[in-house]
Amino acid sequence: ARHLFEIMVRSKTELTTGEQADLIYEKFLERPLEGFEAMPPQPGYQAKLRDQYRYIIMGKGASVTESIRHIKSVLKDVKKKRGVIVTINVDP
């Protein structure tokens, strides 16, 4: 079975949020993991909620443990912009 991973990037500025999401996505392309696929960032279903803009990168992977480890290591490699919050949801 494949699992879905929702990587949500949010901040108070739309530009910052979009740029951060793009940086994260580019890092996924630079560091592929066998059996894991990341989709390009999309504005969130509710693009702005509670004064924060949201972008979502969806990922698909076979193993939850391996995929989470991969996502976290990719996120650690991306220089974080000020005021940006990144969260990971499994099978949202």
Side-chain angles (χ1 to χ4, degrees):
R2 298 187 45 90
H3 294 276
L4 281 179
F5 301 89
E6 176 190 75
I7 300 143
M8 186 185 289
V9 182
R10 51 189 214 270
S11 84
K12 292 195 183 307
T13 325
E14 188 170 15
L15 185 66
T16 306
T17 311
E19 283 176 350
Q20 185 75 65
D22 287 340
L23 285 173
I24 293 169
Y25 179 65
E26 281 163 23
K27 192 61 79 175
F28 275 116
L29 296 181
E30 281 169 29
R31 295 186 37 197
L33 171 73
E34 180 77 40
F36 182 86
E37 184 188 356
M39 315 290 145
Q42 301 287 328
Y45 166 66
Q46 295 178 292
K48 190 176 185 195
L49 186 67
R50 287 190 216 90
D51 220 26
Q52 289 191 323
Y53 289 92
R54 292 153 185 264
Y55 273 79
I56 289 170
I57 298 166
M58 291 304 293
K60 284 195 281 213
S63 154
V64 172
T65 323
E66 234 177 79
S67 298
I68 292 283
R69 193 180 306 131
H70 178 59
I71 292 167
K72 284 184 173 171
S73 87
V74 164
L75 292 177
K76 224 171 44 202
D77 256 12
V78 177
K79 190 168 175 353
K80 207 161 131 289
K81 295 175 177 287
R82 271 186 50 141
V84 172
I85 300 161
V86 179
T87 50
I88 306 166
N89 289 311
V90 181
D91 292 325

